[in-house]
């Protein structure tokens, strides 16, 4: 189930972030808050970004939801409200991460499936996703949700090859 983060999720968020740290993943795609922020600050920031406030340079308004099961946070998804030239080729509309201990059992596939109707409700019909060609799990997650490969090309500003997919509404 996709949920909005609330101050009551403090311990669950701490466990979620600790799971990435224990696996040695220093950067968590789709989670942008400082790892040391108290829960109130994270909740404030997430809601400000969705309103288009407190955005960092080059950011667009974005909405963040967590995938919750049995009181645990298993995944996070970030939806960008519109594309920039950069997001068009690198990042797309949606980014997601699943905590390492919950991977390989369908969480990302379910998370993306639950996100798509919400994205459509936000007025985005054709949804762009991008991923690294070597990220087989992300590729499969996108393909399982109806993603059609548009291109696999070098994105020169990052010096990286990126696959772009559309899930059309
Ligand atoms: C990519 C990621 C979100 C996938 O999460 P997940 O919950 O493990 O994915 P799922 O269990 O839903 O699996 C999705 C598909 O990938 C496959 N898969 C999962 N892990 C895999 C792996 N390590 N190698 C190959 N395929 C894998 C699954 O078999 C499934 O395919 P199938 O439906 O054809 O069987 C997760 O690995 C992650 O958080 N990675 C770091 C962040 C990231 O890369 N985010 C995406 C870019 S924004």
């Amino acid at each position: 189930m996709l949920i909005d983060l609330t101050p009551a999720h403090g311990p669950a968020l701490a466990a979620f972030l600790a799971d990435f740290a224990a696996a040695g993943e220093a950067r968590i795609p789709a989670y942008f808050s400082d790892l040391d922020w108290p829960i109130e600050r994270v909740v404030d920031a997430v809601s400000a970004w969705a309103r288009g406030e407190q955005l960092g340079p080059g950011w667009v308004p974005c909405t963040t939801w967590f995938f919750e099961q049995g009181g645990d946070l298993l995944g996070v998804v970030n939806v960008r409200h519109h594309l920039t030239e950069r997001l068009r080729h690198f990042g797309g509309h949606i980014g997601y991460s699943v905590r390492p201990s919950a991977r390989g059992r369908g969480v990302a596939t379910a998370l993306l499936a639950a996100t798509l109707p919400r994205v459509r409700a936000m007025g985005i019909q054709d949804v762009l996703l991008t991923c690294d060609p070597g990220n087989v799990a992300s590729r499969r997650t996108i393909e399982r949700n109806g993603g059609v490969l548009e291109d696999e090309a070098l994105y020169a500003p990052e010096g990286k090859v990126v696959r772009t997919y559309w899930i059309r509404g």
Side-chain angles (χ1 to χ4, degrees), residues 13-14 17 21 26 28 31-42:
L13 181 65
L17 298 175
I28 306 169
Y31 181 80
F32 300 117
S33 305
D34 193 299
L35 300 185
D36 294 332
W37 285 1
I39 185 72
E40 291 78 10
R41 183 157 179 204
V42 178

Side-chain angles (χ1 to χ4, degrees), residues 45-125:
V46 163
S47 64
W49 297 333
R51 295 191 305 271
E53 298 166 11
Q54 300 178 30
L55 298 169
W59 281 32
V60 301
C62 56
T63 298
T64 304
W65 292 298
F66 282 80
F67 190 89
E68 187 258 355
Q69 203 170 64
D72 290 328
L73 301 179
L74 302 186
V76 60
V77 59
N78 182 260
V79 178
R80 295 105 201 191
H81 297 189
H82 62 84
L83 298 176
T84 59
E85 177 58 21
R86 179 185 169 84
L87 287 171
R88 172 67 183 82
H89 301 283
F90 190 83
H93 284 110
I94 302 179
Y96 43 80
S97 299
V98 169
R99 68 192 287 174
S101 64
R103 289 182 190 164
R105 50 179 159 104
V107 172
T109 305
L111 175 153
L112 181 56
T115 301
L116 289 171
R118 294 189 178 206
V119 172
R120 302 263 156 65
M122 291 163 71
I124 303 168
Q125 291 309 314

